[in-house]
Amino acid sequence: MNNTNVLARTGRLEALDVVRGIAIVGTLATNVWVFSHPWGLLGMLSAPVLPDESRGEAAAQLALMAVAQGKFLALLSLTFGVGLAIQHRSAARHHRRWPGRYLWRAALLFIDGLVNYVLIAEFDVLMGYAVTAAVVSFLLLTRPRAQRALIVAFGAIHIAMITLLVIALTALPGADAEVSLPEARSPYATESFFGLAAFRLDNVIVFRAEPVLIGFLSLAMFLAGAALFRAGVFSADGARLRARLMIIGACAVPVDLLLAMSASSVGLLLERYVVAPVVALGLLGMVVELCLRRGTSGWFGRRATEMGRVALSAYLLQNLLGGALFYGWGFGLASSLSAWRVPVTVAAFLLITAVVATAAHLWLRRFAAGPVEWLWRAAADLGAHGRA
């Protein structure tokens, strides 16, 4: 693959598959710490570092968390925006009404997210992405200049919201105080598979707060992904644009690490929701530049491409495997091995990644799409025929 051969023979954008695959693995690098916490997401929100961890273990955990925190979620948002722009361009080229049938696809994605939330992981992103995609599909009908203005406006609203939260945490007495974990046994250790599903439904307001909090950020990142695609970030002529993205991302990295190591609620808010998305822009530029310079035919490039081609299936599978390893209905490692949380979490991340990558490789040797992707597309085509 050289700089002029950007599209695969199947018509897929190979670099986009690589970026998407890396983003999926990166989300696991973030979420695996939620799985390994004895109190799951509730514990991560109140006390991400366990009280019995040594200072060295806590520093190691914070550093490892900082590598992925917020960056790959933002990178995944950018790839969704790119995918939307590609589908919009395809609809225009074939004179199809837009958003038209895409709204049905967004509804199916929401259903996938609902299943993932209730049965597998309370930190699901698919439902929020489905709503964001439906809104952005209409915004893509506006002129590029208007879309750029919307990116700035949505970004400004998001930063204003985070700023207000930071002010509240620093100004209100006790708002940023450390919260002790409950002394009772965690439901993640005691509840069955369906018992945890009921627990997620009982705590839906708390667990679904983040998609609402980052709603404007998601809109901005989706539109930014579409704008970068139109600007040629995936083309050979986009080298200058990619260089600018890498410089911006590199400048944000030291700030990101500093905030991560602060181990405070304010630092987490600013890192995950303000600085990390900037780092994600640099990651996009760097990965695409490497794909165009070195190709995607190497071992790592092929594995990342395969993960990107079955991204939805991989995302659901890695969440299911995380629950099986750490929750009480599975091996229960979160409670039984909490004293060795850092090495166990790292080992679990490597194991799950290896299993999912192997599954993607073996599956694509026989099939053109992942199992969940196949069901999703079949349902999308059925819905399209039903409206015809």
Side-chain angles (χ1 to χ4, degrees), residues 265-282:
S265 299
V266 168
L268 177 62
L269 277 172
L270 292 174
E271 181 211 5
R272 182 174 174 85
Y273 301 125
V274 177
V275 182
V278 181
V279 178
L281 292 171

Side-chain angles (χ1 to χ4, degrees), residues 87 100-110 112 130 376-377 380-381 387:
Q87 293 185 63
R101 68 179 65 178
Y102 182 80
L103 296 179
W104 173 240
R105 288 172 172 250
L108 290 173
L109 184 64
F110 187 89
D112 288 336
W376 187 74
R377 290 170 185 170
D381 291 340
R387 294 192 303 274

Side-chain angles (χ1 to χ4, degrees), residues 310-327:
V310 298
L312 186 55
S313 299
Y315 176 71
L316 295 176
L317 177 58
Q318 67 187 26
N319 286 343
L320 184 61
L321 291 174
L325 284 177
F326 288 106
Y327 293 162

Side-chain angles (χ1 to χ4, degrees), residues 66-67 69-71 74 221 243-261 267 270-283:
V67 173
Q69 188 70 252
K71 301 165 191 63
M221 297 303 284
R244 290 174 179 172
L245 292 176
M246 286 187 281
I247 292 172
I248 292 172
C251 291
V253 167
V255 180
D256 182 272
L257 293 176
L258 183 63
L259 291 171
M261 298 307 293
L270 292 174
E271 181 211 5
R272 182 174 174 85
Y273 301 125
V274 177
V275 182
V278 181
V279 178
L281 292 171
L283 287 173

Side-chain angles (χ1 to χ4, degrees), residues 161-251:
M161 291 172 57
I162 299 300
T163 300
L164 289 175
L165 276 176
V166 168
I167 292 173
L169 288 172
T170 53
L172 297 178
D176 196 26
E178 292 186 4
V179 179
S180 300
L181 296 174
E183 294 185 3
R185 290 205 69 190
S186 166
Y188 293 97
T190 59
E191 292 290 345
S192 65
F193 183 87
F194 292 105
L196 273 183
F199 175 72
R200 294 185 187 101
L201 291 174
D202 289 340
N203 292 274
V204 65
I205 295 178
V206 175
F207 289 152
R208 293 290 81 194
E210 184 180 60
V212 177
L213 177 65
I214 65 171
F216 287 105
L217 174 62
S218 297
L219 289 169
M221 297 303 284
F222 273 50
L223 285 172
L228 289 170
F229 173 74
R230 290 194 304 268
V233 73
F234 287 93
S235 71
D237 297 332
R240 181 175 296 180
L241 173 60
R242 290 189 295 273
R244 290 174 179 172
L245 292 176
M246 286 187 281
I247 292 172
I248 292 172
C251 291

